[in-house]
Amino acid sequence: MPLKAKILNSALSGSSKVQEALNAMSTKVTENIPNEQPGDEPDDVLFHSIYGVRTIELNRPKKLNSLNGSMARKIIPRLKEWQKSQLASIIIISGAGPKAFCAGGDVAALAQLNTQGPSGQAKSKAYFALEYQLDHLIASYSKPYIAYMDGITMGGGVGLSVHAPIRIATERTLFAMPETTIGFFPDVGASFFMPRLDGEIGTYLALTSERLKGVQAYYAGVATHYIDSSSLESLTARLSELIFKDYANKGERLAIIDATIEEYSTGLPYDEPMLIAGKLREAIDRCFGHNTIEKIVGALEKEKGETEEWARNTLKTLKERSPTSLKVALKQMWVSGNWDIAETFQREYHIASKFMEHPDFVEGVSAKLMSKPPKVPQWNPARLEDVSTEDVNQFFMVKGSERLALLEDGVYKEYPFGDLRLPTEKEIEWRVKEEDGAAWEVVVESFVRRRNGKPGVKEKIEEVLKRRCKVDSKGRVFWRTANI
């Protein structure tokens, strides 16, 4: 049994306590749909209808389309309305301007609220409840939902996109979860999608806030498709022409959309090879597979050779992050693997609420985002050793708390329609073991064929085979039991 499977949340140790907590976090659905409020900006979200397509355009380009409550209160009712409409076939969300899809939530406004004490913190918590309701609605939406991740896609923007069955990256995509930089934790469903990335990539991205540019978001599994940004307008027009049979289910409709998107693919950039690969990928798995930050730091300090400079830079990055955020985020990555999609947002709401009461969030946002020029945050506690296990466990305690009411009853433990993305390493491992001793070319070709020649499949399969398999003198491929 893998080490991660053996370690339980110490705040929930004991089978009766585990079951009690799980029962407490069961899905709770409300029919109270949020509506616009006095003072909401009138045009921060724009909606359009193009035949069967319904578009959502985040329209705060000067703020990099950062998400706020006003926007969420507009999007949710419209999504619910389109869900019932027979005329609405496909939903597309995008951001105004060339710079950003959505650079995150409006955390500066939340930090200012938190300085007002408990009353302001309550308003911040209400924002996260609204945001997570929207994210879960997207994650469980009954109709094809497409996210154009064109430009900066961070934080709250990730919540609006990464749970969609179709996520399109472009050469302008800049993906990151930068929460540990500002004294927060990777939220918006990161507890669900990050542990499901290959190996320890999710933990690495969660702790370091490392950015993935352009096609790298596609290679890492964050995006399901990659096309040039200049093709998005034409793609939208083409998608609006699609007509589905009335009895076609969501999977069949997504398959048609997938094939349509590939019509606009011009291949992957020849001069941008997969970066999280080879020796670097081995080092990430080796260093970030530990269950404490101290062990991760120790592993990074031991790195030599090709990855020594990377390790040194990564250590510097971790030392700049909030110690509390690092420890909470690491535990989050370890304990959330068994959370379903609904439980994910309910639990993240409790963690976010605890952070609204913690000094690091206001300090981090004020120092890094509001100060001109940015300052070095003064974290409290300032050292890893001063953040105790009990301090961390408090963020995960849910007993006696009111669970977040969601807007849909969607529950699953694995993303549906995973065959729209590049194959995962687990899929490749299963196939290699299933076809034990198959020739290298046979394994590669079987995946390329199953994915209908999808760009990047060949490169992804060959990278994994080279790193994780041994090849005998006859060219037969065998999976190595240990990732060396």
Side-chain angles (χ1 to χ4, degrees), residues 115-415:
T115 61
Q116 300 172 12
S119 62
Q121 293 167 7
K123 293 177 182 177
S124 293
K125 295 174 186 178
Y127 166 76
F128 285 110
L130 183 66
E131 181 182 22
Y132 298 167
Q133 285 177 328
L134 171 57
D135 293 341
H136 179 260
L137 174 60
I138 291 168
S140 54
Y141 204 63
S142 62
K143 294 188 175 183
Y145 177 102
I146 303 171
Y148 289 172
M149 301 169 68
D150 183 33
I152 299 170
T153 304
M154 298 183 184
V158 174
L160 297 176
S161 58
V162 80
H163 307 294
I166 294 181
R167 312 175 295 276
I168 299 177
T170 74
E171 78 284 357
R172 300 190 296 202
T173 298
L174 183 61
F175 168 91
M177 291 296 289
E179 286 76 16
T180 59
T181 306
I182 58 169
F184 197 45
F185 77 109
D187 64 332
V188 298
S191 305
F192 196 86
F193 79 83
M194 282 187 146
R196 286 165 175 79
L197 296 177
D198 288 342
E200 301 302 330
I201 291 176
T203 300
Y204 171 62
L205 297 177
L207 297 182
T208 64
S209 309
E210 181 68 16
R211 298 179 173 189
L212 299 177
K213 298 180 181 180
V215 74
Q216 302 305 324
Y218 176 67
Y219 280 133
V222 173
T224 60
H225 296 76
Y226 179 87
I227 67 174
D228 193 271
S229 60
S230 62
S231 299
L232 292 177
E233 186 175 349
S234 298
L235 174 62
T236 300
R238 177 73 179 91
L239 292 172
S240 72
E241 298 171 352
L242 296 180
I243 299 176
F244 303 113
K245 295 178 180 179
D246 292 342
Y247 54 81
N249 60 36
K250 185 178 177 181
E252 292 167 335
R253 296 178 184 220
L254 286 170
I256 294 171
I257 294 170
D258 176 47
T260 303
I261 294 171
E262 295 301 347
E263 294 175 9
Y264 291 82
S265 173
T266 56
L268 304 182
Y270 69 91
D271 57 347
E272 294 184 43
M274 195 184 309
L275 295 182
I276 301 183
K279 295 295 184 182
L280 174 58
R281 172 60 198 285
E282 289 176 356
I284 288 173
D285 287 359
R286 186 166 52 242
C287 295
F288 284 84
H290 297 285
N291 65 333
T292 70
I293 298 295
E294 289 83 356
K295 289 179 180 178
I296 290 174
V297 168
L300 288 166
E301 290 173 342
K302 294 177 183 177
E303 284 295 306
K304 301 297 180 183
E306 293 181 35
T307 57
E308 184 174 359
E309 183 179 358
W310 164 82
R312 188 165 56 248
N313 292 334
T314 303
L315 281 168
K316 180 181 177 182
T317 295
L318 292 178
K319 289 177 181 178
E320 295 171 352
R321 303 296 184 251
S322 158
T324 299
S325 293
L326 287 178
K327 289 200 169 185
V328 171
L330 181 59
K331 179 158 189 171
Q332 172 194 5
M333 294 297 106
W334 276 72
V335 304
S336 62
N338 287 323
W339 298 353
D340 62 46
I341 192 66
E343 184 182 4
T344 291
F345 290 107
Q346 291 174 326
R347 286 187 177 274
E348 286 189 356
Y349 171 69
H350 289 288
I351 300 173
S353 296
K354 296 287 178 63
F355 267 107
M356 292 305 97
E357 301 168 4
H358 195 279
D360 275 6
F361 180 74
V362 172
E363 174 63 21
V365 174
S366 300
K368 302 296 287 186
L369 302 181
M370 298 172 69
S371 294
K372 303 298 180 184
K375 300 187 299 185
V376 176
Q378 301 302 306
W379 306 120
N380 184 19
R383 303 184 305 168
L384 285 170
E385 55 265 38
D386 294 332
V387 182
S388 70
T389 300
E390 182 57 30
D391 292 336
V392 175
N393 287 344
Q394 288 298 316
F395 285 87
F396 295 86
M397 290 289 190
V398 298
K399 186 176 180 180
S401 301
E402 180 68 20
R403 53 196 161 94
L404 176 64
L406 302 172
L407 302 174
E408 292 285 327
D409 59 1
V411 175
Y412 51 78
K413 286 201 169 184
E414 293 294 337
Y415 282 118

